[in-house]
Amino acid sequence: MNVAYAYPWDIVGDPSAPSRLAELGVEAVAVAASYHSTRAATPYHPAHRVLDVPYSAFYLPVRSSSWGRLTPASPTWTPTDAFLQARDALKAVGLQVHAWTVLTHNSFLGGVHPDLVVRNAFGDPYPYALCPAYEDVIEYCEHLVSEILTVGEPDGLILEACGPMGFGHQSVHEKTAGADWTSVHSDLLTLCFCTACAPRYPEGTRERVRAAIDGLPARAVTSPAPTAPTQAPPAPTSFAPTSASASPASTSPPSPATVEAALGPLADDVRAVRVELSASLRTRLIAVARKTAPNVPVTLHANPDPWAASSFAALPAGEPGAEVLVGSCWGDPASDAARLAKLGELCDPGQRVGAYVLALPPRPADGSALAEQLRTYAKAGATDFHLYHAGLASPSRLASMAEALRLIH
């Protein structure tokens, strides 16, 4: 199945949008039902060219009785039932509508409930990242899935950020490059030490992570892990290097080559905790989906890397409850293809692999080049192509998407 991604505001208020999307040659459109803040180009809309989306919002009517402690916000920049309006317009031209559901990436709720967000080993909060170690967060995600299936009645459900978010996927202008942190440092800064996560790790995990990030030998860290209160977020404890390590002339240990090297003997236990965060959330949400709408297929944005934490959550052992496992294909095509092949190895009979394909910059607006990428992903096992993004794309990019789909068929 070929799926084009779009926002509800790309369709609502633009009568030409449904036919334009149908002409791409896709069978379905993934319409955001719950989405984070953004600033989006709207190159076709008759009323505007840029839309500012200042906070995370839910694009179906918010029925207060259906939510618990965490209740999503309604948009002011588009109708509160925008998903329903977009769904009806797309189905009128013969397209299926899949509900694109962003789960734990929510800066609005993170700001209102700072006690429920991811915190790194230094105690720094990530307000855009709700931590699924908290029951309140899991229940919010369950309500989200239930409401989308009950009120939205989509043809398919796409789960994104079905696990903890990470260091590198945030909501404001990024100003961290000058620290020269490597990808391993980024993974270590992704590990959550909130009041729910920290007690699950082996003793000494926080100190080892801090030492690896700051380039210190693990034995040099002597300050104890801070005691986490039951409600208030923990304040970062003092963490100063020794005078020798603070000197510009001192020699620090080399940066760790892998997360496993940084964590040493603690790696297996920490990895198990992290994988379980995504697995437990995923299991509960699929159970809700099956109970609410048994015949609606479930698609997971997933990553076979057990340390993954972002929109594509860790899925190192597969998930038999989903129909489609979709891997991100925004990087080097060879690396992306290897990731898809690994997802394919995790599939049960009857499950499909999807490729989440970037058709925006820095990719060229070239149908032949895009078709070649799709062929690479198909050889790796992908049968479904999820094209990002039909609402943000210029006319030439839309044309290249349509051309690529024609060429591969």
Side-chain angles (χ1 to χ4, degrees):
M1 173 176 285
N2 297 321
V3 183
Y5 282 60
Y7 301 128
W9 58 79
D10 293 325
I11 300 148
V12 176
D14 183 359
S16 66
S19 59
R20 182 169 60 248
L21 293 171
E23 290 167 1
L24 289 174
V26 298
E27 292 82 30
V29 177
V31 178
S34 172
Y35 202 72
H36 53 75
S37 56
T38 188
R39 188 170 77 110
T42 55
Y44 309 98
H45 204 281
H48 44 70
R49 284 295 169 269
V50 178
L51 193 69
D52 186 63
V53 178
Y55 55 83
S56 306
F58 185 54
Y59 292 96
L60 289 91
V62 176
R63 306 186 300 175
S64 58
S65 61
S66 300
W67 303 91
R69 179 185 173 193
L70 276 64
T71 301
S74 294
T76 59
W77 49 89
T78 199
T80 56
D81 64 346
F83 178 87
L84 300 179
Q85 293 189 36
R87 179 202 64 189
D88 292 346
L90 293 168
K91 290 179 75 69
V93 298
L95 289 167
Q96 293 185 31
V97 175
H98 293 192
W100 181 12
T101 306
V102 174
L103 296 161
T104 62
H105 186 183
N106 194 309
S107 55
F108 172 80
L109 290 176
V112 175
H113 302 282
D115 57 313
L116 299 180
V117 304
V118 169
R119 289 178 177 269
N120 65 26
F122 297 87
D124 308 318
Y126 297 163
Y128 54 86
L130 298 174
C131 182
Y134 292 106
E135 183 65 22
D136 284 338
V137 173
I138 296 175
E139 289 182 356
Y140 160 73
C141 293
E142 289 180 322
H143 295 320
L144 192 61
V145 167
S146 178
E147 282 294 279
I148 288 172
L149 292 174
T150 301
V151 181
E153 298 183 309
D155 299 299
L157 178 69
I158 299 175
L159 300 181
E160 178 172 303
C162 190
M165 293 294 293
F167 168 71
H169 199 145
Q170 37 72 56
S171 303
V172 296
H173 291 191
E174 185 68 25
K175 301 291 183 181
T176 57
D180 287 334
W181 286 323
T182 67
S183 61
V184 174
H185 291 133
S186 180
D187 286 341
L188 293 171
L189 285 166
T190 287
L191 295 178
C192 182
F193 289 84
C194 69
T195 56
C197 285
R200 304 183 185 201
Y201 299 134
E203 184 178 356
T205 300
R206 186 194 302 264
E207 290 74 20
R208 185 176 284 272
V209 170
R210 286 175 150 196
I213 291 168
D214 282 353
L216 298 174
R219 63 181 181 276
V221 184
T222 57
S223 58
T227 300
T230 56
Q231 294 295 331
T237 56
S238 174
F239 186 73
T242 62
S243 58
S245 63
S247 170
S250 64
T251 301
S252 297
S255 297
T258 64
V259 178
E260 287 83 357
L263 294 175
L266 308 182
D268 289 346
D269 289 339
V270 175
R271 185 194 303 109
V273 170
R274 297 292 294 177
V275 169
E276 175 59 21
L277 285 177
S278 296
S280 58
L281 176 62
R282 187 173 66 244
T283 298
R284 287 180 59 168
L285 296 186
I286 290 177
V288 169
R290 296 308 180 206
K291 180 180 178 180
T292 308
N295 298 320
V296 173
V298 175
T299 295
L300 289 174
H301 284 186
N303 190 330
D305 180 356
W307 297 107
S310 195
S311 300
F312 290 74
L315 191 81
E319 175 48 70
E323 278 72 21
V324 187
L325 306 181
V326 175
S328 178
C329 294
W330 284 29
D332 170 63
S335 299
D336 294 339
R339 186 180 305 111
L340 296 177
K342 181 61 178 176
L343 285 176
E345 294 172 5
L346 300 175
C347 283
D348 284 355
Q351 282 187 302
R352 309 194 307 275
V353 172
Y356 191 64
V357 182
L358 180 66
L360 303 179
R363 304 293 198 210
D366 183 329
S368 296
L370 181 57
E372 188 59 33
Q373 286 188 45
L374 299 186
R375 292 189 189 101
T376 298
Y377 303 143
K379 290 178 182 176
T383 59
D384 294 29
F385 296 112
H386 289 225
L387 301 177
Y388 183 95
H389 180 292
L392 299 172
S394 66
S396 62
R397 291 185 178 278
L398 281 185
S400 72
M401 292 184 209
E403 180 185 2
L405 292 177
R406 285 194 301 270
L407 289 173
I408 64 169
H409 291 304

